């Protein structure tokens, strides 16, 4: 599946409809977690409503209506009956056998394709194996509850597909897709072996957001679970960042049935990736127009201030070295980092660029090679993860000695990438080298902010 990327910004920023400015050369551990179905699905007061998401089809706006289903009573993990937003029998299953049997009946009845049915079963077993690895004493209940809700959301979208607008805002009611995503990924994270680098800089970012400034995070990208991992590691100390980041999202995370419900729980700027722009030649022009609309939406967003945007200038998820099998951040594309910087400057709202490192590939590693076809296999495991941010980088300071524009673009992009790599290596030493907090350095202070 195509990841959250920024490689498509090059053709977008060249659009005459938005000329860029001149370039300058100067918690708790997962073992204690049991999901609350009643919290995920929302309270009864909001369930009588349906909600409309505006989208564009062929340049014209049309509503995509996601209907709420009839209410039903479910028993929560606390033993209390709560009214929730679906009467679908899938949510009332009591065992793995019932859950998988439900999927098989859908396939047999022709309401679900055999291919999708197979992928759902495979997802179930992979998720099951990962949670069982964690040693969670409530593993079977966590698996049943999480997969029942996940399948319900996926099948609901199969029946009534959600269409993402260029600028998608997280859906929190009547169904809370954000909490759904957090609760699904949380038990996959080994918090005892997870770390955050430079929490004080994340707190600095929150202060800048409160002042109306914008934050741009230039990051490597590892898995489809990156947004959830970021939020899980920051939800205690930096909730504003955890819940409000906008992710630049490639088209595949908003079209893949198994991924869409998780994407609905994030703020997204939806674009077509340059890597897949020409997969279907007849759609190239449509994709370019869609990207131009998304660019305009992002510009308006930044002009309003107090926004934090995450992008992956590498243009895709990190992949292991084909010879050594080692994972490293993929080098940044200089044109992508420079285009995003210019857009932030163009909006005339104070903006700050920070290099961000993510290490979480074990949770949900991507295919070894980039795939054109939508619907990749999901491998899942329980593992420690890491997140670290470096000091703000200012283009004028980094490129003060550069005489050529192109030289400045390359130097700034390389400086961002080198900071990400340093932080990544510190996280790698802490998690894989078993150094824990001892992997800290003068410039990277590791901590576990969820610990009391």
């Amino acid at each position: 599946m195509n990841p959250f990327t920024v490689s498509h910004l090059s053709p977008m920023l060249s659009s005459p409809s938005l000329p860029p400015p001149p370039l300058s050369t100067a918690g708790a551990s997962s073992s204690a977690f049991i999901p609350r179905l009643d919290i995920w699905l929302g309270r009864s007061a909001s369930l009588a409503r349906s909600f409309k998401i505006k989208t564009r089809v062929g340049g014209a706006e049309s509503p995509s209506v996601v209907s709420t289903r009839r209410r039903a009573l479910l028993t929560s993990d606390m033993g209390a009956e709560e009214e929730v937003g679906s009467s679908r029998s899938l949510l009332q299953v009591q065992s793995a056998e019932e859950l998988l049997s439900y999927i098989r009946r859908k396939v047999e009845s022709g309401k679900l394709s055999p291919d999708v049915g197979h992928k759902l079963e495979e997802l179930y077993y992979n998720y099951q194996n990962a949670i069982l690895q964690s040693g969670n004493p409530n593993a079977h209940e966590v698996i049943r509850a999480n997969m029942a809700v996940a399948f319900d959301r996926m099948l609901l979208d199969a029946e009534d597909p959600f269409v993402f607008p260029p600028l998608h805002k997280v859906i929190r009611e009547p169904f809370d897709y954000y909490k759904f995503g957090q609760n699904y990924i949380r038990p996959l994270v080994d918090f005892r072996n997870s770390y955050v680098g430079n929490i004080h800089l994340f707190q600095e970012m929150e202060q800048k957001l409160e002042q109306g400034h914008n934050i741009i995070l230039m990051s490597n990208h590892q898995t489809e679970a990156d947004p959830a991992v970021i939020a899980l590691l920051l939800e205690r100390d930096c909730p504003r960042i955890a819940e409000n980041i906008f992710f630049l999202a490639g088209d595949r995370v908003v079209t893949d049935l198994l991924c869409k419900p998780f994407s609905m729980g994030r703020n997204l700027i939806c674009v077509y990736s340059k890597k897949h722009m020409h997969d279907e030649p007849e759609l190239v022009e449509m994709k370019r127009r869609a990207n131009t609309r998304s660019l305009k939406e992002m510009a308006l967003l930044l002009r309003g201030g107090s926004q934090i945007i995450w992008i992956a200038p590498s243009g895709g998820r990190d992949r292991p070295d084909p010879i050594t099998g080692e994972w490293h951040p993929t080098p940044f594309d200089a044109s992508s980092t420079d285009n995003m910087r210019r857009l932030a400057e163009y909006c005339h709202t104070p903006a700050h660029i920070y290099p961000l490192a993510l290490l979480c590939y074990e949770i949900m590693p991507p295919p070894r090679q980039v795939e054109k076809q939508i619907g990749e296999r999901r491998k899942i495991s329980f593992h420690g993860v890491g997140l670290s941010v470096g000091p703000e980088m200012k283009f004028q300071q980094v490129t003060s000695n550069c005489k050529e524009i192109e030289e400045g673009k390359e130097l700034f992009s390389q400086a961002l990438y080198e900071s990400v790599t340093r932080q990544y290596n510190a996280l790698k030493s802490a998690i894989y080298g078993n150094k824990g907090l001892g992997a800290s350095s003068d410039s990277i202070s590791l901590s576990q902010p969820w610990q009391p």
Side-chain angles (χ1 to χ4, degrees), residues 237-428:
D237 281 43
C238 302
R240 180 167 186 164
I241 293 177
E243 298 191 26
N244 294 290
I245 297 181
F246 272 88
F247 295 88
L248 208 62
D251 57 299
R252 298 196 163 203
V253 298
V254 298
T255 54
D256 190 309
L257 179 66
L258 273 62
C259 195
K260 286 178 67 178
F262 299 97
S263 297
M264 291 164 71
R266 305 293 160 186
N267 293 313
L268 304 179
I269 300 162
C270 303
V271 291
Y272 288 93
S273 170
K274 189 164 65 176
K275 281 187 177 181
H276 297 282
M277 182 66 69
H278 295 89
D279 286 355
E280 299 171 280
E282 68 276 12
L283 299 179
V284 171
E285 188 57 35
M286 179 277 292
K287 291 179 179 180
R288 286 177 176 160
R289 289 197 301 269
N291 280 356
T292 299
R293 289 198 299 269
S294 295
L295 175 63
K296 292 178 179 178
E297 293 281 4
M298 182 160 55
L300 289 173
L301 189 72
L302 289 169
R303 285 172 189 163
S306 296
Q307 302 298 329
I308 179 166
I309 295 180
W310 179 100
I311 65 174
S314 64
R317 286 171 289 183
D318 302 330
R319 264 33 183 226
D321 185 285
I323 298 175
T324 66
E326 290 289 317
W327 290 73
H328 303 282
T330 302
F332 288 179
D333 177 71
S335 62
S336 294
T337 56
D338 193 62
N339 286 334
M340 191 66 217
R341 177 190 65 80
R342 290 160 57 198
L343 177 62
E345 289 181 357
Y346 175 82
C347 294
H348 304 300
T349 301
H352 309 272
I353 297 174
Y354 290 83
L356 186 80
L358 269 166
L359 195 165
C360 58
Y361 63 84
E362 295 276 7
I363 295 288
M364 203 175 290
R368 292 275 171 163
Q369 303 293 330
V370 176
E371 298 180 351
K372 286 188 176 182
Q373 185 176 0
I374 293 176
E376 67 187 52
R377 298 180 62 186
R378 265 68 179 194
K379 296 181 180 179
I380 306 172
S381 68
F382 173 77
H383 208 277
V385 299
L387 174 71
S388 182
V389 66
E392 177 186 358
M393 286 197 171
K394 298 182 179 180
F395 183 79
Q396 301 290 349
Q397 292 178 359
V398 173
T399 64
S400 59
N401 294 324
C402 294
K403 297 180 180 180
E404 300 293 333
I405 291 177
E406 290 302 315
E407 180 187 5
K409 289 167 54 176
E410 293 288 344
L411 183 63
F412 188 61
S413 181
Q414 186 62 24
L416 287 165
Y417 174 71
E418 289 176 356
S419 175
V420 169
T421 299
R422 285 193 299 272
Q423 296 173 77
Y424 184 91
N425 288 337
L427 295 170
K428 186 176 180 180

Side-chain angles (χ1 to χ4, degrees), residues 157-169:
D157 192 73
E159 296 172 4
D160 186 8
F162 179 82
V163 181
F164 286 81
L167 184 75
H168 168 75
K169 294 187 177 180

Side-chain angles (χ1 to χ4, degrees), residues 83-151:
E83 210 170 35
V84 298
S86 175
S87 64
R88 302 160 69 86
S89 58
L90 187 59
L91 293 176
Q92 302 179 59
V93 300
Q94 298 299 312
S95 67
E97 291 73 17
E98 287 184 63
L99 189 59
L100 295 175
S101 177
Y102 185 93
I103 298 299
R104 290 164 188 157
R105 289 197 303 271
K106 285 284 186 180
V107 173
E108 291 168 0
S109 67
K111 295 180 179 179
L112 196 65
S113 73
D115 179 60
V116 172
H118 172 73
K119 288 176 180 176
L120 292 177
E121 284 201 43
E122 182 180 56
L123 177 65
Y124 177 89
Y125 286 118
N126 287 343
Y127 190 77
Q128 172 183 262
N129 293 338
I131 302 303
L132 292 176
Q133 290 173 16
S134 71
N136 189 328
N138 302 300
H140 290 287
E141 173 58 20
V142 170
I143 296 163
R144 182 200 62 78
N146 281 5
M147 290 308 304
V149 179
F151 282 178

